[in-house]
Amino acid sequence: MRIGVVAPANRLLPETAESAIALARARFGDRAEIVFHPQCFLSSGHFAGDDDARAAAFLAFANDPTFDVLWMARGGYGSGRIAERVIAGLTGAAKSKSYLGYSDCGFLLAGLYRAGYRVAHAPVPADILRKGGDEAVARTLSYLLDGARDAIDPSVDGKTKTAAFNVIVLNNIVGTPLEPDLAGHVLMLEEVSEYLYALDRALQHLTLNPNIRRVAGIRLGRVSKVPDNDPPFEQTPEQIAQHWCAQSGIAYLGRADIGHDAGNKVVPFGLI
C-alpha cells in the first residue's frame, strides 16, 4: 500500500517523518510505503507553507493514481483555509483513496465526506511524538493494511453510520459548505485545551443545529488539558454533553475511545 502524507495545517519536523517511516518498516515490512511530501517540512508563520503550497501538495498527492491513501501529517490550524479549493480541485484519481486525519483536519474530512469520499478520524504521523505514540501510528497502519477491528472504536458496529470530530472544529463547520449530512450517524466528539465554558458554548451551538439534531446520538470522547475556570465551571465534560443532549432531544450514548492522545481509536465515517 502506498501512503502519501501532506500537512494541511502545521508543519512536521523531518525527524518525525523519519521515525514514522522507520516504525512502519519495522512493524509492517514492505507492505506499507509512506511518502512524505516535501511541503510537510515548509514553514510559513504558523503553517506548513502558505495556503497555496499546502493546497497544491494536497492536490498533487490526492490526484496521483499511484497513492492508495492520503494521510494528514498533523493537526494544529490551517486545513479549513484550503478545504474548499482542495475539494473543488480533486479529479477522478482522488475518488479511489482513503483520507485519514483528525483534529483541525476535520475541516477536510467533513468536506470530503460530504462530497462522497472515504474518510476516517484516525491517529496521524505526528502522534509518534506522544508518550506511547508508536502504538497510535501503528493503529492507523493496522487499520489500513489489515482492517484491524481492535484499531476501531469499540462502539462502531457496522450497522449504524458513524462520524467523529473535535468539538470546536465541528462547531466551525456547521452552517458552511463543508458541513456533511450527519442524519442517522452516531456522532463522536472530543476536545483538547479548551475552557469548560467554551465546550458548553460550542455544544449548545451544535445541538441547536437542525442537521446535528438528526444524528442517531452523541458519544463523548476524551476532553483533555482543560484550563482552570475562574470561577470553577462546576460541571464535568460529560455532564455538559448530557445536558445539551437532553435539551435538544439527542440521545446521549455514553463515551467514545477517541481524543488527543495515544489511545485515540479509528472512526470510519459512514459504515465500515
Side-chain angles (χ1 to χ4, degrees), residues 44-249:
S44 178
H46 184 83
F47 309 109
D50 62 22
D51 290 355
D52 290 342
R54 300 196 318 284
F58 193 103
L59 289 171
F61 273 18
N63 292 333
D64 185 337
T66 70
F67 287 109
D68 305 294
V69 173
L70 194 149
W71 197 8
M72 301 176 213
R74 58 165 299 172
Y77 172 67
S79 57
R81 292 171 59 106
I82 64 170
E84 274 198 289
R85 78 160 94 171
V86 157
I87 293 164
L90 296 174
T91 64
K95 203 71 174 183
S96 62
K97 291 178 177 58
S98 295
Y99 298 81
L100 296 96
Y102 76 107
S103 190
D104 183 75
C105 297
F107 285 99
L108 284 160
L109 297 181
L112 288 163
Y113 186 54
R114 176 185 174 117
Y117 292 83
R118 264 194 326 273
V119 306
H121 176 286
V124 294
D127 284 324
I128 204 166
L129 299 175
R130 299 184 187 277
K131 183 178 180 180
D134 283 14
E135 295 308 315
V137 173
R139 188 176 304 121
T140 294
L141 293 171
S142 295
Y143 165 74
L144 287 171
L145 293 166
D146 302 316
R149 188 61 187 82
D150 62 358
I152 301 171
D153 183 276
S155 69
V156 176
D157 60 11
K159 300 174 183 177
T160 305
K161 294 178 181 179
T162 52
F165 290 96
N166 172 271
V167 173
I168 301 299
V169 168
L170 182 57
N171 193 50
N172 283 281
I173 290 169
V174 294
T176 75
L178 299 174
E179 181 181 1
D181 181 1
L182 296 176
H185 290 63
V186 172
L187 176 60
M188 304 187 199
L189 298 170
E190 55 82 23
E191 191 51 79
V192 65
S193 301
E194 292 289 345
Y195 287 99
L196 290 179
Y197 72 81
L199 177 69
D200 185 80
R201 179 193 293 141
L203 285 174
Q204 177 191 21
H205 182 244
L206 284 174
T207 55
L208 284 169
N209 179 273
N211 177 25
I212 301 301
R213 288 192 171 185
R214 292 160 57 225
V215 300
I218 286 176
R219 287 187 176 274
L220 183 66
R222 287 177 287 281
V223 177
S224 57
K225 299 182 180 178
V226 178
D228 290 335
N229 279 102
D230 183 15
F233 194 74
E234 295 186 349
Q235 279 190 319
T236 67
E238 187 164 29
Q239 287 171 332
I240 294 169
Q242 289 170 331
H243 171 81
W244 289 114
C245 282
Q247 290 289 311
S248 60

